[in-house]
Amino acid sequence: MHDPRNDWRYVFHRTGRAIALSTHTVDAVQKSMGSQYPVVAIPSPMRARQRLTAGRRPPDLISTRTLRVHGRVVDSACMGLSPEALVNPADEDGTLFRSDDFRYLSSDPNDFPACRITDGTKVYAHSAKSDEVLLEPGEQWPVDSGWDLPPLATTRLDLQGIIYTAVLTPEAGRKNWLDLLTAFCWTFRDMPEATLVLKMAGTDLSLYHRQLVMLLTKLSPMKCRVIAIHGYISDEDYQSLILATTYYVNTSLCEGLCLPLVEFLSAGIPAIAPNNTAMADYISDSIAFVVASYPGVPTVWPHGDLEINCTFTHQLDWQSLSSAYQCSFAVACKEPQRYTDMSMRAHEAMYSYCGVETVKRQLQRFLCPDITPHTVSDGETSSLAETATS
Amino acid sequence: MKLLTYTSTPARDLQSQLGRPEYSYRFVVQEFRPLLRSLGDVIEVEHPEWEVDAIYEACRRHGEECVFLCFMPPNKTPVGLACPTIPVFAWEYEALPFEAFGGKPRNDWRRVLASVGSALTHSTYTVECTRAAMGNQFPIASVPAPLWDRMQSPREPLSAPAILSIDAIVIDSHLIDLFAYRRSAINAALPKVLPVPPGCEFGRHNIVLDGILYTAIFNPFDGRKNWLMMVSAFCEALRDRSDATLLIKLTHHDPAEIIPEIIEAIYKMGPMQCRVVLVHAYLHQSAYDLLLAATTFAVNASHGEGQCLPLMEYMAAGKVAVAPRHTSMRDYIDHDCAFVVDSTEEIGTWPHDPRQIFRTLRQRIHYHSLVAAFRQSYYVATKEPAVYEAMSRAAIDSLRRYCSMEVVRPRLEQSIRERLDAHAANPVSKVSNVCA
């Protein structure tokens, strides 16, 4: 049966007002409902956590930090990634071959200018495990599960260098994780000091794991490290991940808000992110390395079964993303004060943007502007504010 | 001087080989033929592995110079021949293939090029990429297909309305049921492919070519051509313009599998007044000339080009382009003769690499820029005829500087001369009795 609520204007008309999470969405609503329609942008409130990380120095490249996670962990450092395995050697590629080619066609690398890969051997600067380290009982190093989703296990990860983290649901195509991963691995192919941690959520984890392994194979050999954690992890493990992160990465084509990005910024982790859609409300180059993106790409609504383009999304600039990775790495290594400043500003900016007090005030102004606001000090609560934020 | 040429697609088989590997090299050979004939006797060989050296030996005995121009990519170029061999190849990526994948040394093009000693290509971009791989001293020159001169022959003035009457498969978005090609219908038919719409099958069709006509000619199975973005951006840009048409000539021996996908892309763009026409035909000269004459703009939205013969032809004939100016197009596209589309780098693969692994970069076309270029070009064509005329003259002049006989001939002559001189000073003996 046709549900009238599929036309959101019907719902907005019935409710009479709405709260959106971003200015971008407010504009979209008012485009449909008129500029006088009562709609306001109020972000999800972020409780300040991880004050320790705000304004901290970037990590050095040598010391090891340990991250323990109970989850399904993939680690490129322990995988036998082989691009040659992607083809059947019996298939004919049309290239001429003569058995004396090996003798007569020069293979001395010194004959040519240096190219991207000096030889075909895989070069992993990381080891997934340190021989001298004793594991805690019940924990293990990452295992190479190949194409299969790795088993759930308490996994120890020894991290070094600059850690980039992204938290996303890959089935949402707008998350654009292909660009995120390919630009990272291409930019840092010669840099063992760069690690990407992908925290992947969603329903079809096996499918995305296989896609990940295929992509890593096609991007290899590379000296950087890619770690993926598939599925749910505990709040404690998530906090450990935040603590271990140097930069948060977002490469979305559009966002309604992006809670993980806001969360990491609140903890004082500078970001690499575009400033489109909702992110325009809080991403700036004082707290992030802004990735260029361009509006106007037609697309379908993410829900429902309409097969015609009804709206627009952005197109990400991959080259700009690669530059952002490069710049961020250089800042972390060579401009520690700049990193520290960005970290502190990120924490402060999120506090102003979506701290509990800010959100309470905005809600009160929108929902009950006639009631005198009750000033809340530390330890005190007001029943009105409790109701508004619950 | 004897100039031996070879390419894998025989001329007689071209129509049936359209879209197959290296088919476009046949068009390149055809363009070079008159220029080569002015330099010496041209012999086209079909079996280079034994024909080339036999002719070379005969020439050597009676003191005639002989050179073998192999119009093939380096991995398919014979090496170890006694006759000086020059691969004439097109390449549109920033990294020359440098990996001996599949266990074959010749997949590392550097080894082949080092063995043959010199090469010819079609743009300064590819010259730079080759020198980056081989060293700055490597002898390579840019000799684009010298088609400019033949495009200057006076043409019949167009009598309105232009009607293209051809034996072809013709799909006109205004005349078909686009709904039948929505994604769910295509999926429901799997593994079968939806047929061509009724009335569009191969037969005599009359296409009215009026209004502002955008023409693109390419192999739709070639992912580099980026047709999905081209169709989408055209529809987005000129949705309300009933006199705007995008005509795509599908260069492939059998496009049946891809036609539903292109129609779906049109359907997905929703209601529109502009028109998209797909043509699958091997056009004879008069039909080809009529299409060219009726065209307002030549369109390209590729991720990379080795030279792009259709774009060069149309521009040499005075058609203004809607195109990016990356890779080889950098040599002839500028803001004077084209509505330039922005692009930046993205990760890419070597198209012939069966592993499809990421070894190079290609160009990501900026969608909003392509939409803007369509809109701006339409405005100029309808409201600023003097500007269009100036751009048209600039296109002719730009292509003259890029690919006229006058420009290409001395470079080709010099490259061949240098190669023959180097060979005379240091003749290479055959490395084996069996050549391939």
Side-chain angles (χ1 to χ4, degrees), chain A residues 229-310:
Chain A
I229 305 168
H230 292 297
Y232 172 79
I233 60 174
S234 69
D235 200 43
E236 201 189 319
D237 286 350
Y238 191 77
Q239 294 310 311
S240 304
L241 177 58
I242 296 180
L243 258 178
T245 299
T246 320
Y247 290 109
Y248 185 85
V249 192
N250 173 303
T251 54
S252 297
L253 309 181
C254 50
E255 285 288 0
L257 177 68
C258 197
L259 283 174
L261 176 56
V262 170
E263 201 163 13
F264 277 68
L265 284 167
S266 297
I269 314 283
I272 289 165
N275 58 356
N276 63 51
T277 57
M279 296 179 286
D281 285 349
Y282 56 91
I283 290 291
S284 71
D285 54 22
S286 63
I287 66 173
F289 295 88
V290 182
V291 180
S293 62
Y294 313 109
V297 181
T299 189
V300 291
W301 290 325
H303 62 283
D305 54 7
L306 195 54
E307 293 168 294
I308 291 185
N309 292 327
C310 291

Side-chain angles (χ1 to χ4, degrees), chain B residues 235-397:
Chain B
C235 297
E236 177 58 26
L238 299 176
R239 183 182 298 283
D240 303 323
R241 304 293 169 181
S242 55
D243 60 345
T245 299
L246 173 66
L247 188 148
I248 298 176
K249 179 162 169 336
L250 303 169
T251 309
H252 195 272
H253 61 281
D254 183 12
E257 264 183 45
I258 204 103
I259 285 174
E261 300 291 329
I262 308 179
I263 303 175
E264 195 263 345
I266 303 168
Y267 169 73
K268 205 169 172 200
M269 291 308 293
M272 64 182 81
Q273 296 195 45
C274 57
R275 180 173 69 142
V276 181
V277 178
L278 310 181
V279 174
H280 176 241
Y282 193 81
L283 295 182
H284 296 290
Q285 196 61 49
S286 54
Y288 195 85
D289 287 347
L290 182 60
L291 176 59
L292 176 69
T295 294
T296 324
F297 295 105
V299 189
N300 179 301
S302 324
H303 296 297
E305 288 292 353
Q307 50 183 333
C308 197
L309 293 178
L311 186 61
M312 288 159 63
E313 269 190 327
Y314 273 60
M315 291 183 75
K319 304 300 167 180
V320 178
V322 172
R325 65 178 313 258
H326 58 59
T327 58
S328 63
M329 293 181 288
R330 196 182 69 181
D331 284 348
Y332 57 92
I333 294 286
D334 61 34
H335 292 276
D336 290 334
C337 62
F339 292 88
V340 178
V341 180
D342 297 332
S343 65
T344 47
E345 287 170 346
E346 65 176 359
I347 202 153
T349 63
W350 298 320
H352 65 293
D353 179 355
R355 308 163 302 170
Q356 283 300 287
I357 62 176
F358 297 114
R359 283 290 181 265
T360 189
L361 299 173
R362 66 178 194 177
Q363 291 288 316
R364 174 174 290 188
I365 301 293
H366 291 187
Y367 184 90
H368 71 111
S369 177
L370 181 55
V371 168
F374 275 122
R375 288 192 176 133
Q376 285 156 12
S377 59
Y378 179 87
Y379 176 82
V380 163
T382 50
K383 297 276 182 349
E384 305 270 7
V387 173
Y388 183 92
E389 282 312 308
M391 293 182 83
S392 170
R393 287 193 298 274
I396 295 171
D397 195 54

Side-chain angles (χ1 to χ4, degrees), chain A residues 121-135:
Chain A
T121 58
K122 294 170 274 298
V123 181
Y124 292 122
H126 300 275
S127 175
K129 53 181 126 181
S130 321
D131 294 323
E132 311 88 48
V133 169
L134 282 173
L135 292 169

Side-chain angles (χ1 to χ4, degrees), chain A residues 74 79 81 86 145-150 170 177 181 200 204-218 228 230:
Chain A
V74 180
M79 296 169 79
L81 298 169
L86 291 176
S145 59
W147 296 99
D148 296 328
L149 205 55
W177 69 285
L181 180 67
M200 308 274 262
D204 202 347
L205 298 176
S206 292
L207 172 66
Y208 293 105
H209 173 71
R210 281 195 299 274
Q211 281 189 358
L212 175 69
V213 174
M214 177 60 92
L215 284 166
L216 290 176
T217 306
K218 290 190 179 189
H230 292 297

